[in-house]
Amino acid sequence: MKLCLGFESTAHTIGVSVVSFDGVVLSNERKLFTTSSGGLIPVKVAEHHCSHVFDLVSSSLSKAGVSISDISLIAFSQSPGIGHCLRIGAIAARSLAALHGLPLVGVNHCIAHLEIGRLLGKKVSSDGFSSDVSCSDPILLYASGANTQVIGFEGGKYRVFGETLDIGIGNFLDSFARSLDLGFPGGPKVEVLARKGSSLIDLPYSVKGMDVSFAGLVTKLSQLAVKGCSHEDLCFSAQEYVFAMIIEVAERALAHTGKSELVLGGGVACNKRLQEMAFKMCEDRGASCFIVDNEFNVDNAAMIAWTGILQFSAGDSLSLVNSGILPYVRTDDIEVSWR
Ligand code: AMP
Ligand code: MG
């Protein structure tokens, strides 16, 4: 059985995973940088990743029941992300590839979210999940910390049909949570408070063509919090507004491309209210909604390993000199050899 060792380190998460070439995830280890107050400082996050990366390699190999000599391929997240963080995963991956004479593949993180959705997405139905239906050519609603994009495969590339014009939806939730002193990551804490909220507060709804904007909302919500609005109602309303905005754009991407599958990806896709709204939208238009388990929604190395396998099987690989990180490369810059 051929195996890939994958590394993820685009932002707050350092992850190492072993995936087989036939798509079985044998291990998926990760450590998340967290704070009880304040946000991400890139140098601090890089130190965190540095101090965990080799323990994660050991635990990932041992959970998979294999050793480094069983590995046939190394994949790492090469783009896009925070330079300080990307560099740690890249150094570990490049060092192991050089030391063990293994081929190396660089993966685009956003595309990896879509590819893991195609591999592991479970179709949602009104009474749970139907496991026998697989996801083949979806629109990805990628809702994560730094990224918010609606992506689909058209004309030989992964195209961005809509995206945030400023901050990612997760960064929006985290900044808003920080203004309420909830710490990082804030999205899950906002979700818990939102369940206790009930009255919908009027907020700006910013969909511009196929794009969305969140930055002004942080200011508006902080002002309302200072004025004494209930935190529960603010969390409830914030979720209703921003999730409606991204679902609207995802729906228009489905309509425009004629595709009939939606898959959710990114840490914010763990949110039950977003999942519910996505399912409802798909149900209303006769499309299928796919969701992956939370460990594959958040940043994870299994999706990097799997996309690395797809790329390598189609002939992609990197020489060490060409394997530098590419923090600013966009989804639609990537040449797709494997579809
Ligand atoms: P990622 O960058 O894809 O790993 O996602 C991290 C982001 O997901 C952070 O901004 C988190 O606050 C957010 N997040 C994680 N879980 C949830 C949740 N249940 N609801 C909303 N946001 C979440
Ligand atoms: Mg991500």
Side-chain angles (χ1 to χ4, degrees), residues 10-13 30 32 109 113 142-147 169-174 184-191 239 243 265-272 294 297-300:
T10 51
H12 42 63
T13 295
R30 56 194 289 273
L32 171 68
H109 177 98
H113 274 288
Y142 176 32
S144 84
N147 299 292
I169 189 164
N171 284 1
F172 157 75
L173 291 168
D174 295 334
F184 176 85
K189 291 167 183 155
V190 171
E191 180 177 21
Q239 282 198 173
F243 293 165
V268 181
C270 299
N271 189 292
K272 292 283 175 263
N294 281 352
N297 266 329
V298 295
D299 285 354
N300 67 91

Side-chain angles (χ1 to χ4, degrees), residues 31 84 135 154 165 211 220 273 276 287 303 307 310 313:
K31 285 266 184 228
H84 291 74
C135 173
E154 281 285 302
L165 295 171
D211 296 325
K220 177 77 183 171
R273 178 63 183 143
E276 189 178 44
M303 67 180 192
T307 309
L310 294 175
S313 303

Side-chain angles (χ1 to χ4, degrees), residues 196-259:
K196 298 182 198 143
S198 54
S199 86
L200 190 67
I201 297 166
D202 202 20
L203 295 172
Y205 183 92
S206 309
V207 175
K208 304 180 184 193
M210 287 294 279
D211 296 325
V212 291
S213 156
F214 304 112
L217 258 174
V218 180
T219 316
K220 177 77 183 171
L221 287 161
S222 313
Q223 288 166 349
L224 289 169
V226 170
K227 281 189 189 152
C229 276
S230 127
H231 288 187
E232 288 80 3
D233 286 343
L234 286 175
C235 290
F236 170 73
S237 307
Q239 282 198 173
E240 293 302 303
Y241 271 78
V242 295
F243 293 165
M245 284 157 53
I246 58 175
I247 294 286
E248 179 189 327
V249 174
E251 177 166 26
R252 268 195 270 128
L254 286 169
H256 172 73
T257 57
K259 293 187 197 289

Side-chain angles (χ1 to χ4, degrees), residues 80-155:
I82 303 170
H84 291 74
C85 304
L86 278 171
R87 210 164 275 121
I88 307 303
I91 290 171
R94 296 161 85 190
S95 307
L96 283 174
L99 199 63
H100 297 278
L102 291 169
L104 184 66
V105 176
V107 171
N108 177 276
H109 177 98
C110 311
I111 290 177
H113 274 288
L114 193 145
E115 292 299 352
I116 203 72
R118 288 173 72 213
L119 178 71
L120 299 177
K122 295 184 210 160
K123 185 175 171 216
V124 189
S125 66
S126 42
D127 46 2
F129 289 104
S130 23
S131 54
D132 49 337
V133 188
S134 67
C135 173
S136 65
D137 183 23
I139 289 291
L140 168 71
L141 174 54
Y142 176 32
S144 84
N147 299 292
T148 302
Q149 293 186 329
V150 174
I151 302 169
F153 188 71
E154 281 285 302

